[in-house]
C-alpha cells in the first residue's frame, strides 16, 4: 500500500510539474512575444515619422526650386517674347537654366512654358505630358495628380509667372517642372521592409504616385481613411502639407509574429529544457514504480532530486539573465558589437531590478540609469539622450531602489518620445548643504504638461504619499504613485517630492531625501 501511495503521489507530481512547466513556458513566450511586438510597433512608428519628414523635405525642395524658376529673369523674358524668333534667340539661356536645374535636382525631367491662355509655348527635357486640366492652379495648388507613362510615373508642379509694369503686377503665363518619382519611391521602399507590408504615396484622386510591397483590395478603405476594419493591422496615414498627398503604411499583424533569430534561438533552447525535464521526470517515475519497499529511501532521494531539477528548469529571472548573457556572447562571437552592448545593458538592467536588495547606493543607481540611457539611445537612434550627474561625495549613500527610473521612463515616454526632434532628460544627484539632505532632480525638455495635466499629477503625488490609493490608478499614473508610496514607506514625512511643468518646454521632478532611511 505504501508503495502504491508513493507511486500515485509521484504520478500526480509528474502531471502537476509537467503542467507548470508547459504553462510557464507558454506564459514566458507570450510575454516575450508581446514585448517584441510592442517594440516592433514602436520602431515601425518611429520609422514612419522619419520617412514623413523625408517626404516633407522632398516637397520643400521641389517648392523652393519652383519658386526660384518662377522668379528667374530668363523665364519672364521667354514668356514676354512677342514672337517665335525672339523666343528662339533666348533658347540658349533657357537651355542653360534647364542644365542648372538638373544639376541641382536630378529628379527634374523637363521644364515647360505656357502663355497666359494656357497654350504651350516651349519645353526642354526628356519627357513631356500635356496637362489639360489646370484647375489645380485656379484652386491655388502647385501640384498636379500623378502622370504615368509605360516606364515610370511623374508629377507636374506649376506656378504662374508675373511681370511688373507701371507699378503693378500682371500674369504673363506659367512655368512648370516635370519630376520623376524616384525620391518618393525610395521613401516607400524603406517603409515596406517588413514582410507582407504595403506603403504608397497617394494623390488627391486616390491614385498611387508610387507604391511598394504587397497591395490587397481591402486596403482601399484604409487609404480613404476608414480604418475600422483594421483593428489588428497597423495603419499609418499622414497628409503632406503642400501637395495634399498622403503617405500610407499598412503592416499586417502577421508581420509582427515572426521572432528574430536571437529570440527563436532562446525558444529552441527553452523547448529543449522543458522536454528534457519532462522526459527525466517520466523516467524517474517509471523506475520508481519498479522498485520494491527496500528502495524507499532511494525513492525519497530521487523525488527530491527530481523536484530540484524541475525547479531549476523553470524559466525564472536568473534563467532570463543567463540567457541574455548567452545572447551577448553569441553577438560578440558573430562580431556584432552593437547587439552585444545593447544586450549587455539589458542584462545588467534586468539583474539590478530583480536582485533582492531594497537599498542600493547612489553610485549603483547612477550606473543602472546609464545602462538604461544606453538602451534608450540605441532604441531612438540617438534622438533621445539621458544624462546622469552625481556628486562624488554622495556616491555611497543608500536610497531605496526604483525611485528614479520610473520618473525617467515617464520623461522619455510622455515628454520626449512624441517630439520629432527628440530631446534630453537629465538626472542630477547632489547634497543640499543647508540641511545635509540629498537633492535629486529629473528634468526634461519634452512636450511638458498643461495646467490640468499638471494638477492631475500633483493629485497623484498627494494620494500616493498620504492616502496610499494612487497605486490603484490605471495607465501611466502607476509609476509616479508607486514612487511616492516607496518614499513614504522608507522616509515617512521626512522626504518631499514636487513637480513643475510648462507646456511645450518640459517637466521637472524634484526629490529631497534625508541622508538615511527610517529603521
Amino acid at each position: 500500500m505504501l508503495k502504491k501511495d508513493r507511486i500515485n503521489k509521484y504520478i500526480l507530481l509528474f502531471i502537476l510539474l509537467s503542467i507548470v512547466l508547459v504553462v510557464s513556458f507558454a506564459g514566458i513566450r507570450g510575454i516575450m512575444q508581446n514585448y517584441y511586438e510592442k517594440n516592433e510597433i514602436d520602431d515601425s512608428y518611429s520609422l514612419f515619422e522619419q520617412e514623413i519628414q523625408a517626404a516633407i523635405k522632398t516637397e520643400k525642395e521641389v517648392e523652393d526650386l519652383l519658386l526660384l524658376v518662377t522668379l528667374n529673369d530668363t523665364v519672364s523674358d521667354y514668356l514676354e517674347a512677342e514672337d517665335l524668333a525672339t523666343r528662339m534667340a533666348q533658347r540658349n539661356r533657357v537651355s542653360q537654366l534647364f542644365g542648372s536645374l538638373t544639376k541641382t535636382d536630378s529628379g527634374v525631367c523637363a521644364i515647360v512654358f505656357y502663355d497666359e491662355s494656357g497654350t504651350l509655348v516651349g519645353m526642354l527635357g526628356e519627357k513631356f505630358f500635356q496637362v489639360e486640366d489646370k484647375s489645380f492652379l485656379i484652386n491655388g495648388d502647385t501640384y498636379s495628380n500623378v502622370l504615368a507613362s509605360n516606364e515610370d510615373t511623374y508629377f507636374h508642379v506649376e506656378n504662374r509667372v508675373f511681370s511688373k509694369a507701371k507699378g503693378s503686377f500682371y500674369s504673363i503665363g506659367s512655368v512648370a517642372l516635370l519630376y520623376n518619382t524616384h525620391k518618393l519611391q525610395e521613401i516607400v521602399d524603406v517603409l515596406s521592409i517588413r514582410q507582407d507590408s504595403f506603403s504608397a504615396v497617394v494623390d488627391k484622386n486616390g491614385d498611387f504616385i508610387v507604391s511598394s510591397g504587397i497591395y490587397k483590395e481591402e486596403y482601399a478603405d484604409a487609404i480613404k481613411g476608414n480604418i475600422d476594419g483594421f483593428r489588428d493591422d497597423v495603419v499609418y496615414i499622414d497628409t503632406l502639407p503642400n501637395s495634399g498627398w498622403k503617405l500610407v503604411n499598412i503592416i499586417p499583424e502577421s508581420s509582427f509574429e515572426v521572432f528574430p533569430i536571437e529570440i527563436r534561438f532562446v525558444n529552441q533552447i527553452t523547448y529543449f529544457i522543458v522536454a528534457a525535464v519532462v522526459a527525466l521526470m517520466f523516467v524517474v517515475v517509471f523506475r520508481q514504480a519498479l522498485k520494491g519497499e527496500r528502495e524507499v529511501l532511494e525513492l525519497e532521494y530521487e523525488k527530491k532530486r527530481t523536484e530540484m531539477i524541475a525547479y531549476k528548469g523553470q524559466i525564472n529571472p536568473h534563467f532570463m539573465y543567463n540567457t541574455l548573457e548567452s545572447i551577448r556572447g553569441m553577438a560578440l562571437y558573430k562580431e556584432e558589437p552593437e547587439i552585444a552592448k545593447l544586450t549587455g545593458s539589458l542584462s545588467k538592467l534586468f539583474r539590478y531590478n530583480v536582485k533582492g536588495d531594497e537599498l542600493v547606493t547612489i553610485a549603483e543607481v547612477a550606473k543602472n540609469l546609464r545602462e538604461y540611457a544606453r538602451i534608450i539611445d540605441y532604441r531612438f537612434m540617438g534622438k533621445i539622450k539621458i544624462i546622469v550627474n552625481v556628486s562624488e561625495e554622495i556616491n555611497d549613500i543608500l536610497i531605496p531602489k526604483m525611485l528614479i527610473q520610473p520618473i525617467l521612463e515617464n520623461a522619455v515616454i510622455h515628454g520626449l518620445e512624441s517630439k520629432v526632434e527628440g530631446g534630453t532628460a537629465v538626472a542630477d544627484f547632489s547634497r543640499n548643504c543647508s540641511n545635509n539632505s540629498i537633492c535629486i532632480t529629473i528634468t526634461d525638455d519634452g512636450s511638458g504638461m498643461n495646467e490640468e495635466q499638471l494638477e492631475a499629477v500633483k493629485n497623484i503625488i498627494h494620494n500616493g504619499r498620504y492616502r496610499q490609493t494612487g497605486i490603484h490608478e490605471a495607465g501611466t499614473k502607476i509609476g509616479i504613485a508607486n514612487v511616492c508610496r516607496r518614499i513614504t514607506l522608507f522616509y515617512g514625512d521626512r522626504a518631499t517630492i514636487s513637480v513643475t511643468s510648462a507646456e511645450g518646454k518640459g517637466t521637472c521632478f524634484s526629490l529631497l531625501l534625508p541622508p538615511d532611511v527610517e529603521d
Side-chain angles (χ1 to χ4, degrees):
M1 179 62 72
L2 179 60
K3 178 179 177 181
K4 184 176 181 180
D5 288 342
R6 290 185 178 276
I7 291 174
N8 289 338
K9 288 180 181 179
Y10 270 89
I11 292 175
L12 179 61
L13 177 64
F14 168 73
I15 294 173
L16 290 176
L17 288 178
S18 298
I19 293 173
V20 168
L21 285 169
V22 172
V23 171
S24 298
F25 173 73
I28 292 296
R29 189 181 188 282
I31 291 171
M32 293 175 67
Q33 174 75 46
N34 292 336
Y35 176 79
Y36 171 71
E37 286 185 9
K38 181 181 182 302
N39 282 348
E40 289 295 292
I41 290 173
D42 289 344
D43 290 345
S44 69
Y45 178 74
S46 297
L47 181 62
F48 182 77
E49 286 291 305
Q50 173 184 313
E51 295 309 306
I52 273 287
Q53 294 306 311
I56 292 174
K57 180 182 177 182
T58 299
E59 262 194 346
K60 187 176 186 305
E61 291 172 351
V62 170
E63 294 274 342
D64 291 347
L65 193 59
L66 181 61
L67 180 60
L68 288 175
V69 172
T70 303
L71 300 176
N72 190 280
D73 291 339
T74 298
V75 173
S76 57
D77 291 345
Y78 189 81
L79 289 174
E80 287 183 307
E82 296 180 353
D83 52 45
L84 181 60
T86 306
R87 285 201 176 100
M88 291 302 295
Q90 297 176 359
R91 186 78 172 178
N92 188 46
R93 292 174 60 196
V94 173
S95 296
Q96 290 178 352
L97 172 63
F98 180 66
S100 298
L101 293 176
T102 55
K103 288 180 180 178
T104 303
D105 191 334
S106 60
V108 177
C109 297
I111 182 171
V112 189
F113 301 90
Y114 299 94
D115 63 17
E116 179 58 20
S117 66
T119 303
L120 174 69
V121 295
M123 67 85 62
L124 279 175
E126 60 189 51
K127 285 284 182 182
F128 174 68
F129 290 88
Q130 179 66 42
V131 180
E132 303 291 348
D133 182 10
K134 297 295 186 73
S135 59
F136 64 92
L137 280 177
I138 299 173
N139 296 331
D141 294 334
T142 300
Y143 293 78
S144 71
N145 290 317
V146 62
L147 306 171
S149 69
N150 291 333
E151 305 89 14
D152 212 340
T153 56
Y154 301 83
F155 62 92
H156 173 105
V157 290
E158 185 171 348
N159 256 351
R160 292 194 180 281
V161 180
F162 294 88
S163 183
K164 185 175 182 181
K166 297 180 180 181
S168 62
F169 289 91
Y170 64 95
S171 175
I172 58 175
S174 61
V175 61
L177 298 178
L178 182 70
Y179 272 84
N180 63 41
T181 56
H182 295 171
K183 288 185 178 179
L184 296 177
Q185 186 65 52
E186 290 175 0
I187 290 173
V188 297
D189 285 344
V190 170
L191 290 175
S192 299
I193 58 175
R194 291 186 179 281
Q195 179 180 349
D196 298 332
S197 64
F198 173 77
S199 59
V201 176
V202 184
D203 67 19
K204 291 182 178 179
N205 287 341
D207 296 322
F208 294 150
I209 298 172
V210 290
S211 63
S212 181
I214 301 174
Y215 176 73
K216 300 178 182 178
E217 291 297 329
E218 56 264 30
Y219 290 168
D221 288 337
I223 292 172
K224 293 176 183 177
N226 181 16
I227 60 174
D228 291 340
F230 293 84
R231 298 187 184 279
D232 295 328
D233 298 340
V234 174
V235 180
Y236 301 123
I237 301 177
D238 207 344
T239 301
L240 302 181
N242 295 327
S243 62
W245 298 341
K246 293 179 180 178
L247 180 60
V248 180
N249 187 206
I250 302 176
I251 309 173
E253 183 187 22
S254 58
S255 295
F256 298 109
E257 294 176 353
V258 180
F259 279 172
I261 294 175
E262 292 85 356
I263 297 181
R264 288 204 301 268
F265 175 77
V266 173
N267 282 339
Q268 290 170 357
I269 294 297
T270 309
Y271 274 127
F272 175 78
I273 293 174
V274 172
V277 171
V278 172
L280 180 60
M281 288 190 300
F282 176 80
V283 169
V284 170
V285 171
F286 181 76
R287 288 182 61 186
Q288 293 298 332
L290 300 178
K291 292 182 182 292
E293 291 296 334
R294 55 188 172 82
E295 297 176 322
V296 169
L297 291 177
E298 183 180 348
L299 180 64
E300 291 293 332
Y301 169 78
E302 284 296 326
K303 176 182 177 181
K304 294 182 182 296
R305 190 170 74 89
T306 302
E307 290 174 343
M308 183 61 68
I309 294 172
Y311 172 77
K312 291 180 179 179
Q314 296 182 34
I315 300 175
N316 54 36
H318 298 289
F319 175 77
M320 292 296 291
Y321 167 73
N322 292 333
T323 301
L324 287 170
E325 285 298 299
S326 298
I327 295 174
R328 187 176 76 87
M330 288 176 58
L332 290 173
Y333 179 76
K334 297 289 186 179
E335 297 183 354
E336 293 288 348
E338 291 301 320
I339 296 177
K341 289 179 182 178
L342 183 63
T343 308
S345 295
L346 184 60
S347 173
K348 293 173 184 175
L349 193 68
F350 187 80
R351 188 174 191 179
Y352 170 88
N353 287 334
V354 300
K355 72 176 184 178
D357 299 333
E358 284 292 341
L359 297 177
V360 291
T361 64
I362 289 178
E364 288 179 286
V365 173
K367 181 179 179 182
N368 178 65
L369 293 179
R370 291 186 179 108
E371 297 296 345
Y372 174 72
R374 181 177 297 171
I375 294 171
I376 292 299
D377 181 70
Y378 189 91
R379 176 186 171 189
F380 293 98
M381 297 177 288
K383 189 181 79 168
I384 295 177
K385 296 292 184 184
I386 295 176
I387 300 172
V388 181
N389 300 319
V390 181
S391 298
E392 290 186 4
E393 59 179 341
I394 61 172
N395 269 333
D396 296 329
I397 291 179
L398 294 173
I399 64 173
K401 189 197 296 185
M402 295 305 290
L403 285 188
I404 312 305
Q405 186 177 328
I407 301 176
L408 204 55
E409 288 176 355
N410 274 351
V412 171
I413 296 171
H414 304 293
L416 300 174
E417 186 173 356
S418 60
K419 290 184 65 178
V420 174
E421 69 274 23
T424 303
V426 180
D428 276 309
F429 297 74
S430 60
R431 187 189 294 275
N432 188 323
C433 296
S434 61
N435 57 10
N436 203 34
S437 60
I438 307 303
C439 181
I440 305 172
T441 61
I442 302 94
T443 308
D444 69 79
D445 58 0
S447 56
M449 294 181 281
N450 58 36
E451 291 184 3
E452 182 180 351
Q453 292 169 325
L454 180 59
E455 191 61 30
V457 173
K458 288 181 178 179
N459 287 335
I460 293 168
I461 291 174
H462 182 270
N463 291 338
R465 291 224 58 195
Y466 303 108
R467 299 180 186 175
Q468 299 184 2
T469 58
I471 57 173
H472 302 295
E473 297 283 349
T476 59
K477 304 174 183 178
I478 295 176
I480 301 300
N482 278 339
V483 168
C484 296
R485 175 161 171 75
R486 286 178 68 79
I487 289 174
T488 301
L489 289 173
F490 284 92
Y491 297 104
D493 292 330
R494 298 186 300 149
T496 63
I497 177 171
S498 60
V499 58
T500 59
S501 185
E503 192 169 13
K505 294 184 179 180
T507 302
C508 177
F509 280 85
S510 298
L511 285 75
L512 206 59
L513 308 178
D516 59 309
V517 299
E518 289 186 339
D519 294 330

